[in-house]
Structure formats: C-alpha cells, structure tokens
Amino acid sequence: MSAQAASEPKPVPTLRLQAALQLLAQAGQSLPGDAPQGSLRWLQAVIDGLCDLSSRDALTGLSNRRQFELAIAREIDRVARAGEPALVLMVDIDHFKRVNDTHGHAAGDEVIKAVGQALQDCVRPMDTVARFGGEEFAIILPNCPPAFGQTVAERIRLKVQRRPVAVSSGAEVAVTISIGGAFAPQWVRSSAPLWIERADQQLYRAKSEGRNRACLEQPTVSLVSAEEKSLLFGTSQFQDIE
C-alpha cells in the first residue's frame, strides 16, 4: 500500500435511518429544524425520539409494559432502602367485551384511550400510569401512605364513571372500572411479579364483588433491624446509575 493511499481518510459509512425517520414522523415526533441533518444534535434527537417511542403505548400514549417494569423495579428498590410507602393499582375496564360487541373495535379503542386519559388526569407527575395489556392498566404511586390509598383509588374510579365516552357512531358509552391495589412491604426487597400478583388478587375480588369498585389489600408492618436496613443499601441494582 502506498503512503498516499494510507493517508487518505476512510469513507464514513452512511447510517440507514429511513425506517426510523418514518416511525418518528408517523408518531408526530419532530426533529430540531435548526440542526443540520446528520449533525450530532440531530442524531441525538433521533435517538431520544426512538427511546420515547419504545417506552410508550401506541394507542394511549401512556407508558407501556416495558417502561412499567423498569419503573416498578426502581420503586421496589427505593421502598426497600428508604422504607417509604408505595402503592400499585391494577385497573380493568368492566364489561369491555360488551363495548366491542355492541359498538365495534374502533369504539373499544376510543374507550381505552379515554380511560387512559382519565387515569393520567388523576395522578401526580411522580406517578406512573401504564397500559398493562388489552383493557388493563397499572399505576405506581410512590410515597402514598396507606391512610390515603382507598381515597386515591376511589377518586380514580369515580373520575372514569363520571366521564361517558363519545364514540364514532355518535353514541355515548358509560364506562366503569374495577381496581385492585397492594402496598409494597416496607424495608423488604420484594419482586415485581409478587407485588403485581397481590394487586391482581384484589382486582379479582373487586370483580367478584360486583365490579365498579376498588379493593385494596391492607398493608403489613415489617419489622427490620438497623443492621438489615444497612445491608439493603449495598444491594441496589440501580446504585451505579443513580
């Protein structure tokens, strides 16, 4: 190889971004107009937009299942180390199949979007509302004392009940939800599946007792020694990124 050939710069490979840009455009994600295409700031905006899309439910715009699992893992870690209360609510739309059968699947989508918006309207910025799957939602409420849990759940239930959903056929659909809730055990490093399962059990209870109600599990009091508490700080799966 000649010295001249060795000194020539290697061609920079072209990134294939057409599919990514189409996804962002379809989702209404805008890129900075004042940043040249291909610049570092422009590419960072593309990456940020794709990350946001990957964490959102396409229908409702809420957090999706993946984002919910990340959020609940962080909350379990925080509760274990800080001992602060936290509540998970599992929410299910009552008689949702009846909506689809009567008004069609497009109306069902409108109901899901309306319920998701109602849930989002009821929570604080620090809370996480996610579409868990189908007509089921999940809400993580950090620092929610047990004394307020039932009040919060009832406020959410009534918000949905009092907001009929207008569908494309011109009809208004009355919607109710059933809610099940469970508190994370304080000073204990639980697991997301166990915490969700306990909330799900309360959701099943709400369904079996007639629907359109909120059932919350009474929190247990965990007695943990000071030494055990100190050990919790050394086992955080998020300690390297906090």
Side-chain angles (χ1 to χ4, degrees):
M1 180 183 297
S2 66
Q4 181 180 359
S7 63
E8 291 179 355
K10 294 181 180 179
V12 178
T14 302
L15 294 175
R16 294 187 294 272
L17 296 175
Q18 290 83 357
L21 295 177
Q22 287 175 356
L23 283 173
L24 293 175
Q26 184 182 29
Q29 295 268 9
S30 60
L31 297 174
D34 58 344
Q37 186 168 336
S39 66
L40 185 60
R41 189 157 74 89
W42 184 87
L43 288 172
Q44 186 62 58
V46 171
I47 293 171
D48 292 344
L50 292 175
C51 287
D52 185 66
L53 280 184
S54 72
S55 67
R56 297 288 170 188
D57 173 63
L59 179 62
T60 63
L62 300 174
S63 296
N64 60 16
R65 182 74 171 266
R66 181 189 298 111
Q67 185 67 16
F68 171 79
E69 289 173 351
L70 287 172
I72 198 170
R74 291 191 184 97
E75 191 57 25
I76 286 171
D77 184 76
R78 192 190 65 81
V79 169
R81 293 186 293 116
E84 295 180 1
L87 174 65
V88 160
L89 298 176
M90 301 303 294
V91 180
D92 190 79
I93 301 174
D94 296 328
H95 302 297
F96 182 71
K97 184 177 183 300
R98 186 183 301 170
V99 175
N100 281 336
D101 292 344
T102 304
H103 302 282
H105 289 277
D109 286 349
E110 290 301 319
V111 167
I112 288 174
K113 288 193 289 185
V115 170
Q117 184 60 58
L119 301 183
Q120 189 67 60
D121 290 345
C122 288
V123 301
R124 305 161 296 180
M126 63 191 292
D127 302 329
T128 299
V129 181
R131 186 180 178 197
F132 198 71
E135 68 272 23
E136 190 172 12
F137 301 83
I139 306 174
I140 305 172
L141 298 130
N143 197 21
C144 179
F148 298 113
Q150 192 70 41
T151 301
V152 171
E154 280 297 312
R155 184 176 72 238
I156 293 171
R157 184 188 66 81
L158 290 171
K159 180 80 168 181
V160 173
Q161 180 182 331
R162 293 169 178 169
R163 185 185 287 184
V165 180
V167 296
S168 55
S169 63
E172 279 198 342
V173 179
V175 182
T176 64
I177 55 174
S178 296
I179 301 174
F183 287 89
Q186 295 170 264
W187 299 113
V188 175
R189 194 170 296 283
S190 182
S191 71
L194 287 175
W195 193 5
I196 295 168
E197 181 183 359
R198 288 170 40 229
D200 264 335
Q201 289 172 355
Q202 298 304 309
L203 175 59
Y204 298 148
R205 181 162 73 94
K207 292 285 190 182
S208 65
E209 291 181 2
R211 295 181 170 84
N212 190 22
R213 65 192 61 217
C215 295
L216 269 61
E217 177 187 82
Q218 293 301 312
T220 57
V221 178
S222 301
L223 298 177
V224 183
S225 69
E227 182 181 0
E228 288 172 320
K229 291 178 183 178
S230 67
L231 290 173
L232 289 170
F233 285 88
T235 57
S236 169
Q237 59 178 304
F238 297 104
Q239 59 187 355
D240 295 331
I241 61 174
E242 289 181 345

